[in-house]
Amino acid sequence: MKYLLQTFGCKSNQYESQAIRESLNAAGHDEAATADEACLLIINTCGVTGRAGASCRNAIRKMVRLNPGLRVVVTGCGVDLKEEWPDLPIPPLLVPNAKKHAIAKLLADLDGNPVEAEPADRFALGITEFQGHTRAFIKIQDGCDNFCTYCAVPYARGVPESRPLSAILDEARRLLASGHRELVLTGINIGAYDRDGLRLADVADSLAALPGLERLRLGSVEPPHLDERLVAVMAANPSICPHVHLPLQSGDDAILAAMGRRYDTGGFMRCVELLRRQLDNPAITTDIIVGFPGEDDTAAAATRDLCREAGFSRMHVFLFSPRQGTPAASLRQTCTNRTIEERKSALITVGHELAARYAASCVGMRERIIMEKSGTGLSDRYVATTLDGDPAEPGAVVRVAITGSDVAGLIATRV
């Protein structure tokens, strides 16, 4: 059977889609390039916001219009959150997150019956490569119990659970054998890793010692989980990139409290100071939510000011999107759409300024870049880098000197 696989949302979903792909291919199915070639559509959904669910539904409608004979499997967080799916000639098969590993065995049952045949197993999926990517994601953890007031992920993914270190190391060796030279640790909340007395620092330290690994990159780490030991492990291992994605969400303490975040601005800046004290010119990327209910001009200005103080190398700016079933969905919105868009635009401008400033600070440094198909590569510090002279093959690791920066990122020469 020819299938088309579409993925929405986080790195965990992307990892799990690769695992689904491998399980389907091993069962004798073939991946189609377009909807009109496929017999089956598999949508790996995101349900973190109302907009995410709408995007998934629109994708299903679009694909079925292109190929009315498509059968549909819906999996991911949208299923666990009981999203409504479009009316289709044949009801979609709904597969929750914990049973994604069973999809290859369930293709004979496409009549919409609930999936009960397989026991739940969050870590049954595994991969041997990361198709189409030079960097490979490796899932070490699932679930979250932070219950931020705007977020539905804990309801979809459940309580935190950590993958055994032996399984992580085995998968890492397979990925390195497939030619990947950079591994990216991913999960729903990797800082909450806790298994057999081991924490995230132990996982990073163990992976960093694997032969053939050029770079290890951490995924998103919540501020309460960034501690002295984790940063010390990063500083002691040259293969661990000096880059942390540290979600801020707001630079105003009252908004952070309303969001249910487990830190204040002072605690966040202590994390930034720890990284800058222990690492050489670390790249700190972040997420910001604009327009959370109760945000006023003072809170918005405080967020911009804190971003400048933190000196982020990259900022991802999102509009608040109420998610049904979360506490924040019932809060009264105090901002007009126009005001929210203006605040978003102002933050994006700050982000561009900070990115350019950070890129300029890298000039004169020596780094590794791993080449992409575009002829550029990502530096250790997660900045797009253009190589002067003859380009290298995708996946090649090139040691470079950073000679300049522009609006597109860094310019480098081989060393």
Side-chain angles (χ1 to χ4, degrees):
M1 182 186 297
K2 280 207 164 189
Y3 67 91
L4 184 67
L5 178 58
Q6 283 214 337
T7 307
F8 292 82
C10 64
K11 289 183 173 67
S12 289
N13 255 13
Q14 295 174 49
Y15 168 93
E16 289 161 2
S17 283
Q18 173 61 27
I20 291 168
R21 175 180 290 112
E22 292 191 22
S23 68
L24 291 172
N25 293 346
H29 303 289
D30 297 315
E31 187 166 8
T34 60
D36 56 0
E37 296 177 6
C39 301
L40 176 73
L41 170 66
I42 301 170
I43 295 278
N44 194 1
T45 63
C46 174
V48 67
T49 66
R51 288 189 182 91
S55 295
C56 297
R57 289 190 293 276
N58 288 338
I60 294 173
R61 292 188 186 98
K62 178 181 178 181
M63 295 301 171
V64 173
R65 280 198 301 270
L66 291 172
N67 183 350
L70 269 180
R71 292 181 170 182
V72 178
V73 172
V74 183
T75 189
C77 290
V79 175
D80 290 270
L81 293 170
K82 313 300 183 190
E83 288 270 14
E84 294 294 328
W85 302 105
D87 290 333
L88 301 171
I90 301 174
L93 178 67
L94 304 180
V95 182
N97 275 311
K99 297 183 182 180
K100 284 177 174 175
H101 65 287
I103 286 176
K105 298 179 181 179
L106 294 165
L107 292 184
D109 182 12
L110 291 173
D111 60 2
N113 291 332
V115 177
E116 299 293 348
E118 292 284 329
D121 187 342
R122 289 161 130 178
F123 301 115
L125 290 168
I127 64 175
T128 60
E129 63 171 333
F130 207 64
Q131 183 174 305
H133 297 264
T134 54
R135 302 181 296 146
F137 298 161
I138 183 165
K139 181 180 171 183
I140 68 168
Q141 182 274 342
D142 204 339
C144 181
D145 60 1
N146 285 345
F147 288 97
C148 298
T149 61
Y150 55 83
C151 183
V153 169
Y155 308 103
R157 290 277 183 169
V159 298
E161 185 177 354
S162 301
R163 192 178 186 186
L165 179 59
S166 58
I168 296 169
L169 292 171
D170 287 345
E171 184 164 272
R173 294 186 185 100
R174 292 195 299 270
L175 292 167
L176 294 172
S178 293
H180 297 287
R181 290 293 169 260
E182 178 178 331
L183 302 180
V184 182
L185 300 188
T186 191
I188 300 305
N189 185 2
I190 66 169
Y193 185 93
D194 187 357
R195 177 131 188 179
D196 302 322
L198 303 177
R199 302 306 301 269
L200 177 58
D202 302 296
V203 175
D205 203 29
S206 298
L207 286 167
L210 290 178
L213 177 70
E214 284 283 345
R215 295 200 307 208
L216 180 68
R217 195 179 299 277
L218 303 184
S220 182
V221 179
E222 289 291 315
H225 294 137
L226 190 82
D227 57 23
E228 293 270 1
R229 183 159 178 266
L230 177 59
V231 180
V233 165
M234 295 178 69
N237 286 284
S239 61
I240 302 180
C241 295
H243 164 225
V244 174
H245 188 76
L246 196 67
L248 172 60
Q249 309 302 8
S250 174
D252 179 83
D253 284 337
I255 296 298
L256 287 174
M259 289 178 167
R261 303 293 286 170
R262 300 185 180 186
Y263 55 87
D264 58 14
T265 54
F268 186 90
M269 287 307 301
R270 284 191 289 274
C271 291
V272 171
E273 290 157 6
L274 171 61
L275 290 166
R276 298 207 185 286
R277 188 167 62 248
Q278 297 292 336
L279 304 178
D280 180 19
N281 195 23
I284 306 172
T285 55
T286 199
D287 297 329
I288 307 288
I289 296 173
V290 179
F292 190 84
E295 181 186 78
D296 57 15
D297 289 342
T298 300
T303 298
R304 293 192 294 272
D305 290 345
L306 191 67
C307 289
R308 293 189 179 96
E309 183 181 357
F312 296 121
S313 60
R314 182 182 292 189
M315 291 165 49
H316 301 276
V317 181
F318 304 91
L319 294 177
F320 171 71
S321 175
R323 187 63 172 85
Q324 187 176 1
T326 62
S330 63
L331 297 177
R332 186 174 68 87
Q333 180 55 267
T334 55
C335 307
T336 65
N337 290 339
R338 180 176 178 178
T339 297
I340 292 171
E341 288 291 346
E342 289 171 349
R343 290 174 184 169
K344 177 184 177 183
S345 179
L347 264 177
I348 288 173
T349 298
V350 170
H352 289 161
E353 293 169 356
L354 294 177
R357 185 183 307 168
Y358 182 78
S361 76
C362 294
V363 174
M365 301 185 78
R366 296 200 169 191
E367 296 234 9
R368 296 159 294 189
I369 60 174
I370 297 182
M371 299 304 298
E372 306 284 349
K373 291 179 181 177
S374 61
T376 63
L378 279 176
S379 73
D380 294 344
R381 291 168 173 79
Y382 205 64
V383 182
T385 304
T386 301
L387 184 63
D388 269 347
D390 295 333
E393 290 295 317
V397 181
V398 184
R399 281 162 173 77
V400 301
I402 308 299
T403 58
S405 66
D406 59 21
V407 292
L410 301 176
I411 303 166
T413 57
R414 296 173 187 260
V415 294

